[in-house]
Amino acid sequence: MQPIQEAQQTVGNGMKTIQVRVNGKIAKKEVPIRMLLVDFIREELALTGTHVGCSVEGRCGACTIVLNGDAVKSCLMLAVQADGADIMTVEGLGTTDKLHPIQQGFWEKHGLQCGFCTPGMMMSVYNLLKTTRHPSIDEIRDALVGNLCRCTGYEHIIQAVQYAADQVAAMSKEERDEIFSY
Ligand code: FES
Ligand code: FES
């Protein structure tokens, strides 16, 4: 990721063209240099599954995405800093015909109520399960420490992650590589 000042240096008119790969598709757009990455994702790419919950203060985690293999809060980055990045949003997880095990876990274990926090939760869980086969409850709690939920009391979310982890652990390496390609 480019530092903010360096990312903004190359522009003269307050705009800069950036190119990112989002959920496997290339997007090239001219953006205001002060545009937040979360606004770029929601407004320019129309991927509104990424939410804004805390007035972009980095506190709630609703805006979490996977960027170059890490879970990041997209309200704490500028779009220009993501130039050249590989991004996954919740829309890239699974399809209605074939849910990702993480989505299946939230469905089976009632890991959501209003659902506002859910996309960000899922991105943090993705980052955990990509590298941790059998996460302990403490590891799950640690992975979700930056994601707030005002509805569920978290217990069903923990159960959803455990369900997803069991599904992933039962898969072949090829199947795991396919669903954790970011
Ligand atoms: S909107 Fe980004 S952390 Fe709350
Ligand atoms: S399900 Fe409502 S905020 Fe988490």
Side-chain angles (χ1 to χ4, degrees), residues 1-172:
M1 188 200 332
Q2 279 183 300
I4 290 178
Q5 285 173 344
E6 191 182 312
Q8 292 180 327
Q9 258 171 9
T10 52
V11 297
N13 64 350
M15 303 289 285
K16 183 178 178 183
T17 299
I18 65 169
Q19 179 172 305
V20 290
R21 194 171 82 110
V22 182
N23 302 331
K25 292 186 187 151
I26 299 290
K28 190 173 182 180
K29 299 252 181 192
E30 188 178 50
V31 297
I33 58 171
R34 295 187 187 283
M35 174 175 260
L36 295 173
L37 179 56
V38 67
D39 293 333
F40 173 72
I41 290 169
R42 289 177 55 83
E43 294 167 19
E44 295 292 323
L45 304 182
L47 294 171
T48 53
T50 301
H51 292 163
V52 177
C54 65
S55 302
V56 295
E57 294 173 339
R59 292 183 186 167
C60 74
C63 64
T64 305
I65 59 167
V66 174
L67 183 139
N68 292 339
D70 289 321
V72 302
K73 292 175 178 174
S74 58
C75 75
L76 295 182
M77 279 183 66
L78 298 172
V80 291
Q81 288 180 285
D83 190 17
D86 201 356
I87 291 170
M88 185 180 71
T89 67
V90 71
E91 288 89 348
L93 255 190
T95 65
T96 46
D97 292 335
K98 191 176 178 190
L99 294 180
H100 192 284
I102 295 170
Q103 294 168 314
Q104 195 71 40
F106 275 74
W107 171 266
E108 296 288 345
K109 297 297 177 182
H110 310 290
L112 64 149
Q113 289 182 25
C114 79
F116 195 86
C117 69
T118 312
M121 289 277 180
M122 287 183 172
M123 293 295 97
S124 293
V125 174
Y126 181 96
N127 214 45
L128 170 69
L129 296 187
K130 187 177 63 175
T131 54
T132 310
R133 203 77 327 134
H134 300 283
S136 65
I137 287 185
D138 283 346
E139 286 174 318
I140 295 170
R141 290 187 192 281
D142 280 352
L144 295 177
V145 74
N147 295 84
L148 302 184
C149 177
R150 63 189 170 186
C151 305
T152 64
Y154 299 99
E155 287 309 313
H156 285 276
I157 293 174
I158 303 285
Q159 291 167 20
V161 179
Q162 290 175 315
Y163 179 99
D166 288 345
Q167 302 294 306
V168 172
M171 290 177 162
S172 67

